[in-house]
Amino acid sequence: MSQGQLRVGFYSQTCSEAESIVRSVVRDAIETNPRNAPILLRLHFHDCFVQGCDASVLIDHGSNSERNAPGHIGLEGFEVIENAKARLESVCKGAVSCADIVALAARDAVSLIGVPFYEVPTGRRDGRVSNISFAANMPEVDDSIQLLKSKFMHKGLSHKDLVLLSSGAHTIGTTACFFLQKRLYDFSTSSSSDPAINPQFLPKLKALCPPGNVNDKIPLDAVTESTFDEQIFRNIRDGFAVLSSDARLNDDINTKQVLESYINNGSSTGRPVPSFKLDFTKAMVKMGNIGVKTGLQGEIRRVCGSFN
């Protein structure tokens, strides 16, 4: 993990309008389609987990590009980033990296739907490599909790960051039925469905995602789908997690304790209740520092989908 030379206000001299322009584009995108909030959040996560936060996932150079990796299936939001880039290029040509746009867009997306606004250190450069093979170790929905913890630890992220950035981020947005097929119909040799699914919930999931149905989308948190809150953790605890990777938080004492800490109202312990939203912002900043390229590393692309 590298923090490089990122700093808050990196563009204050070279493009003072940079952050306000990105925020304006993101606001318009979310007003047009509220799904763009979780879409932009997911895009940032997927970018940072492969070669660091360097916008490599945006490159569109054919079937061998990173964005076509199985772990990136269903990624969207590329056009929002390109719109922001085009506006920035018209105001401050060659100044703002696509990697910074992705990080700022994710911050703006969640802050526009109720997460406290947080400062994003900027100064990232765009990577010059995008290869499908580099995305082979993305966290997957069917990974065990041990494997998920290992993948996060490899990026310098803790088990608490895992709870916040993976499962916590699922408080908003949808998932395709594609990601539930194994969990519902081919879980293991001893059980066709994941026994962690609450018996009341299993028939509902199967009705929403029948065998072979891979394209329909369902809410990750059916209780408060559009609200950024702790309900996702209650769902996970009670067996109402949609994704297997979320349900697996209950399989590990450390992740389960973090999960419970955001549900507990503190009345029985007398201890202060941790703030999910504030902790989430800290984890986002931490993730945004993964493997960044700064200074003379990388480039600042003219168009986010292509190398210069």
Side-chain angles (χ1 to χ4, degrees):
M1 180 172 174
S2 168
Q3 293 192 16
Q5 300 162 12
L6 303 186
R7 67 176 187 273
V8 173
F10 182 85
Y11 297 109
S12 59
Q13 301 298 317
T14 56
C15 189
S16 60
E17 298 177 67
E19 295 200 23
S20 62
I21 287 173
V22 173
R23 189 167 181 83
S24 174
V25 170
V26 170
R27 182 185 292 109
D28 290 346
I30 292 175
E31 288 178 354
T32 302
N33 180 5
R35 284 189 62 241
N36 278 316
I39 282 171
L40 291 169
L41 173 57
R42 184 175 183 234
L43 186 62
H44 184 36
F45 178 92
H46 280 249
D47 180 40
C48 291
F49 260 80
V50 183
Q51 303 185 87
C53 312
D54 68 348
S56 58
V57 75
L58 304 180
I59 294 296
D60 187 13
H61 278 187
S63 59
N64 200 45
S65 297
E66 178 198 319
R67 68 194 285 176
N68 295 312
H72 291 327
I73 285 176
L75 271 187
E76 301 175 81
F78 303 105
E79 73 288 345
V80 180
I81 305 301
E82 290 289 9
N83 288 345
K85 178 62 173 174
R87 282 190 54 182
L88 286 165
E89 285 294 296
S90 70
V91 175
C92 359
K93 191 175 182 65
V96 183
S97 70
C98 298
D100 276 343
I101 296 172
V102 172
L104 291 168
R107 184 272 309 275
D108 294 336
V110 295
S111 67
L112 286 167
I113 60 169
V115 174
F117 184 86
Y118 59 95
E119 297 287 1
V120 172
T122 44
R124 299 167 187 79
R125 303 274 288 188
D126 299 323
R128 294 193 176 99
V129 178
S130 178
N131 190 295
I132 191 171
S133 65
F134 295 155
N137 289 319
M138 276 293 300
E140 303 282 355
V141 293
D142 295 317
D143 286 345
S144 68
I145 187 61
Q146 290 77 20
L147 184 54
L148 287 169
K149 287 175 69 176
S150 174
K151 287 180 176 181
F152 272 69
M153 190 178 300
H154 184 68
K155 299 297 181 182
L157 300 172
S158 67
H159 63 268
K160 181 177 180 179
D161 297 321
L162 163 62
V163 174
L164 291 163
L165 296 170
S166 181
S167 301
H170 293 161
T171 177
I172 52 173
T174 61
T175 189
C177 286
F178 171 85
F179 294 107
L180 277 76
Q181 293 297 300
K182 181 177 179 181
R183 187 175 194 221
L184 294 178
Y185 304 109
D186 188 26
F187 184 71
S188 68
T189 55
S190 59
S191 175
S192 59
S193 301
D194 184 353
I197 303 174
N198 188 301
Q200 298 175 28
F201 193 40
L202 182 59
K204 296 177 182 178
L205 278 181
K206 286 187 171 182
L208 291 168
C209 294
N213 181 335
V214 297
N215 295 322
D216 283 357
K217 294 182 183 296
I218 66 172
L220 286 162
D221 173 8
V223 182
T224 56
E225 176 184 355
S226 302
T227 305
F228 204 104
D229 60 16
E230 296 87 351
Q231 181 61 45
I232 186 67
F233 299 126
R234 297 186 185 92
N235 296 349
I236 294 169
R237 178 196 61 188
D238 298 337
F240 291 91
V242 172
L243 295 178
S244 179
S245 54
D246 289 345
R248 301 284 77 84
L249 294 186
N250 290 310
D251 296 344
D252 176 83
I253 187 171
N254 294 315
T255 53
K256 190 171 183 177
Q257 285 176 345
V258 176
L259 177 81
E260 291 284 353
S261 73
Y262 293 116
I263 299 170
N264 192 336
N265 62 17
S267 58
S268 61
T269 65
R271 292 191 296 268
V273 183
S275 168
F276 166 43
K277 292 180 181 180
L278 287 177
D279 287 354
F280 180 79
T281 65
K282 295 173 185 176
M284 285 288 286
V285 172
K286 190 175 177 182
M287 181 182 76
N289 285 333
I290 295 174
V292 295
K293 297 167 180 62
T294 59
L296 299 178
Q297 301 170 316
E299 63 183 12
I300 295 178
R301 294 182 207 141
R302 291 184 289 271
V303 177
C304 290
S306 299
F307 301 119
N308 288 344

